[in-house]
Amino acid sequence: MKQQYIITMLAIAFLLGNNRSAAQLANTLPKNEFGLTIVSNAVYFKASITQDSLKQMVAIDKYVAHVKTNFVYATTSNFTHKILYSKPKAYLRLAAVKALQAVANNLKTKGLGLLIYDAYRPYSVTKTMWQIVPDDRYAANPAKGSGHNRGIAVDVTLYNLQTGMPLPMPTPFDDFTEKAHHNYRQLDSTVLANRQLLKTVMEQQGFKALDTEWWHYYLPNAAYFELLDIDFKQMKKLVK
Ligand SMILES: [Zn+2]
């Protein structure tokens, strides 16, 4: 394992020294047990973002006005009943954050803001979730990875800028019943309108909705953004 790491680092150093492309660099990284390439070191991460500044990871609150967070995965009040990470911060790729910025500017004119439950999530957290709940109705299968691991998916709702209170939505976050589906319509008109407003403003800026989770939005070209397994402590040093 240690030898593999040294070989990888030497290959990275060689390719960087020769100014080769990040794609070639990717070929030097070992694949995991599912055949996926996971970026888990700062050297390759930095190389992978030099080809496109929109791949840079950034702190959402640096770009998006009035954004609030409620990291339920940093508490035991989530579907796994376990603390899945500590000291999180809301990070995403610049491509996603620019889109969220436009969403927030639009919402501000309506007296509303964005409340985020989860944004970037290290790949190892996706693996932990799967170990606890190995059911792809509730958790992302690590054999595929999640848009959250790629830094282009966000779990989000709306809140009232004046009261600070979240708007009524069909279900709480991570409710895995059909009530959380976009096509579920046995709801009062206010709730239907709130769900639709969130969907409309997110889609206007290029996000896609997930049929089964009213709170989950992602950029469509997910595979372009590498899967990342960099913890929040290290990511803090890498964000712009
Ligand atoms: Zn999500």
Side-chain angles (χ1 to χ4, degrees):
M1 195 62 204
K2 196 173 176 189
Q3 199 183 3
Q4 173 77 67
Y5 178 76
I6 291 165
I7 291 166
T8 301
M9 295 313 284
L10 283 173
I12 287 169
F14 173 79
L15 287 169
L16 282 177
N18 284 275
N19 209 14
R20 304 287 279 275
S21 75
Q24 285 169 300
L25 205 52
N27 293 332
T28 67
L29 282 174
K31 299 219 186 301
N32 76 354
E33 64 269 42
F34 304 110
L36 298 172
T37 299
I38 311 290
V39 173
S40 57
N41 70 63
V43 176
Y44 177 69
F45 174 73
K46 284 178 185 168
S48 72
I49 59 175
T50 55
Q51 59 175 174
D52 183 350
S53 62
L54 290 174
K55 283 191 170 185
Q56 177 66 55
M57 291 287 283
V58 298
I60 296 176
D61 62 4
K62 199 175 157 187
Y63 290 80
V64 181
H66 311 296
V67 70
K68 293 213 303 183
T69 53
N70 176 13
F71 287 108
V72 294
Y73 298 141
T75 74
T76 55
S77 298
N78 64 65
F79 74 101
T80 67
H81 307 295
K82 295 214 161 57
I83 292 172
L84 293 164
Y85 47 57
S86 60
K87 296 190 182 165
K89 204 164 153 54
Y91 301 127
L92 284 178
R93 304 278 186 170
L94 184 57
V97 172
K98 281 191 164 183
L100 268 191
Q101 188 178 50
V103 169
N105 290 344
N106 179 349
L107 288 172
K108 196 183 161 203
T109 66
K110 300 171 172 64
L112 300 171
L114 293 168
L115 168 61
I116 290 174
Y117 295 111
D118 199 33
Y120 164 66
R121 178 193 309 158
Y123 178 75
S124 56
V125 175
T126 289
K127 284 178 92 172
T128 305
M129 282 177 170
W130 189 255
Q131 274 160 15
I132 302 167
V133 185
D135 186 331
D136 58 17
R137 286 175 298 170
Y138 310 120
N141 189 332
K144 294 181 192 157
S146 155
H148 290 283
N149 311 145
R150 298 179 189 276
I152 51 90
V154 62
D155 298 327
V156 66
T157 191
L158 301 171
Y159 79 94
N160 182 309
L161 286 179
Q162 239 161 18
T163 64
M165 295 297 289
L167 266 52
M169 286 291 183
T171 67
F173 173 59
D174 271 358
D175 176 303
F176 299 112
T177 68
E178 64 174 29
K179 247 184 127 175
H181 296 190
H182 275 285
N183 65 5
Y184 188 86
R185 300 201 58 86
Q186 284 104 284
L187 299 160
D188 79 50
S189 57
T190 310
V191 172
L192 280 172
N194 291 342
R195 183 182 69 191
Q196 186 57 49
L197 174 62
L198 178 61
K199 187 165 186 266
T200 301
V201 293
M202 293 296 279
E203 286 182 344
Q204 270 170 359
Q205 300 306 329
F207 285 102
K208 296 278 180 196
L210 188 68
D211 292 345
T212 52
E213 298 180 358
W214 62 260
W215 56 84
H216 180 98
Y217 287 89
Y218 62 98
L219 291 185
N221 50 340
Y224 174 66
F225 300 92
E226 292 84 356
L227 292 159
L228 306 175
D229 194 13
I230 295 170
D231 66 23
F232 287 104
K233 197 174 164 192
Q234 201 190 352
M235 189 57 85
K236 195 175 175 184
K237 297 177 198 156
L238 297 170
V239 293
K240 284 271 154 54

